[in-house]
């Protein structure tokens, strides 16, 4: 039987192998940094959703992965931030901010999808089953909560998750872009 250190090394190797699925785009010009970062962030999210077991590993280990594939991804993203014009002392912070958002949101999303998978239902079925209880509980709360939920009730849950991820990513990148003008 493997000892704890051997198991940790094995997990690190497997995590790095999964990072190998990511195709980091080549460095783009100053005005294209955001589009390439969005693509890499979306690819990272998709990678975790394909391998939901990795989400807790990413969040437990933190943002430190030293395998060659993880370092290639980090290096590629740092190059995007440098090409955008971020000061040298901010490129790692910009990368950390991006990764914290992506890993945080996709860890929650993977847990949610794993819960649904264990239920034996599709996401749409699960949401339809939970909606009446949510609507009942929301009746006693201010209208914005009820209205926001009602406005999205006909959308496919996957579309909602995709839109929410994109919205948050755009706001993170807006904040980072504001630093470029500072």
């Amino acid at each position: 039987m493997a000892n704890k250190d051997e198991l940790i090394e094995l997990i690190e190797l497997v995590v790095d192998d999964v990072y190998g699925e990511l195709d980091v785009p080549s460095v783009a010009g100053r005005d294209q940094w955001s589009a390439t970062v969005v693509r890499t962030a979306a690819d990272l999210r998709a990678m975790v959703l394909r391998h939901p077991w990795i989400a807790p590993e990413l969040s437990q280990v933190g943002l430190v992965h030293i395998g060659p594939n993880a370092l290639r991804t980090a290096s590629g993203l740092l190059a995007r931030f440098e090409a955008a014009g971020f000061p040298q002392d901010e490129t790692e912070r910009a990368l950390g901010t991006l990764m914290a958002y992506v890993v945080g949101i996709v860890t929650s999303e993977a847990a949610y999808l794993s819960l649904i998978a264990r239920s034996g239902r599709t996401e749409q079925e699960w949401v339809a089953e939970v909606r009446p209880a949510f609507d009942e509980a929301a009746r006693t709360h201010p209208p914005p909560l009820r209205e926001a939920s009602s406005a999205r009730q006909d959308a496919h849950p996957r579309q909602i998750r995709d839109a929410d991820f994109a919205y948050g990513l755009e706001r993170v990148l807006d904040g980072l872009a504001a630093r470029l003008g500072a």
Side-chain angles (χ1 to χ4, degrees):
M1 179 167 179
N3 65 35
K4 182 179 175 182
D5 290 338
E6 289 172 332
L7 287 174
I8 290 171
E9 285 181 31
L10 180 60
I11 290 169
E12 288 174 358
L13 287 171
V14 174
V15 166
D16 193 65
D17 188 55
V18 173
Y19 261 101
E21 295 178 10
L22 296 177
D23 177 34
V24 181
S26 60
V27 176
R30 185 180 196 111
D31 57 340
Q32 298 169 328
W33 74 274
S34 181
T36 59
V37 168
V38 165
R39 177 177 158 208
T40 303
D43 289 349
L44 178 61
R45 175 181 174 237
M47 177 196 81
V48 173
L49 293 179
R50 278 192 307 277
H51 307 283
W53 60 267
I54 201 172
E57 297 307 320
L58 295 180
S59 62
Q60 287 176 7
V61 175
L63 304 177
V64 179
H65 298 283
I66 57 173
N69 292 319
L71 289 176
R72 177 184 51 82
T73 300
S75 179
L77 284 166
L78 284 172
R80 285 340 137 282
F81 290 120
E82 288 173 5
F86 283 90
Q88 184 68 32
D89 63 336
E90 289 192 30
T91 57
E92 285 188 36
R93 289 179 179 157
L95 173 60
T97 299
L98 172 74
M99 293 300 287
Y101 170 73
V102 175
V103 170
I105 197 82
V106 79
T107 296
S108 176
E109 187 176 7
Y112 161 79
L113 291 173
S114 292
L115 169 75
I116 292 170
R118 287 190 306 272
S119 79
R121 294 177 202 69
T122 67
E123 186 177 10
Q124 281 183 290
E125 291 168 340
W126 190 86
V127 168
E129 187 175 303
V130 171
R131 178 163 288 288
F134 176 83
D135 290 344
E136 178 62 28
R139 280 187 328 117
T140 60
H141 290 273
L145 178 66
R146 293 189 311 270
E147 292 165 2
S149 176
S150 293
R152 294 166 47 143
Q153 74 180 5
D154 293 330
H156 191 285
R158 170 77 189 248
Q159 291 173 320
I160 294 170
R161 288 186 292 107
D162 290 347
D164 288 350
F165 176 80
Y167 177 85
L169 181 58
E170 288 170 10
R171 298 302 69 81
V172 167
L173 294 178
D174 288 348
L176 291 173
R179 295 294 303 150
L180 291 174

